[in-house]
Amino acid sequence: MPASLDLIGVSFEPALIATGHAGRALQVRIARTGVLFATLAVLMPYLGTMGAALGMVASAILGLGLSAITTRKALVKAQKLSDTLTNRP
């Protein structure tokens, strides 16, 4: 399941980089990795491999959500800049 969520959001990171927001893409990756480590540390002692799987799912959901929100904001900002440069209302 986490792999399928990653496939859904595969185009978000290149979109961020293309719009000049590579730092945001890195921040999303760091947040996602932090959540993965935290959930692994908390869930694995109690649930074993099922805890690891739940950690991966949580990380994938967070990554997809943050990537979608960040990409949307970056594209809106790029569109506003484009409209300003071409003098469109």
Side-chain angles (χ1 to χ4, degrees), residues 8-9 19 27 31 45 48 54 64 67 72-74 79 86 88-89:
I8 291 170
T19 56
Q27 289 174 344
L54 290 173
L64 181 61
S67 293
R72 171 106 172 122
K73 286 182 179 182
Q79 183 63 43
T86 58
R88 292 185 199 160

Side-chain angles (χ1 to χ4, degrees), residues 38-78:
T39 55
L40 288 178
V42 171
L43 296 177
M44 276 193 66
Y46 301 106
L47 301 174
T49 56
M50 189 59 125
L54 290 173
M56 289 296 295
V57 170
S59 173
I61 290 171
L62 178 75
L64 181 61
L66 286 177
S67 293
I69 291 167
T70 306
T71 303
R72 171 106 172 122
K73 286 182 179 182
L75 292 176
V76 166
K77 185 177 178 181

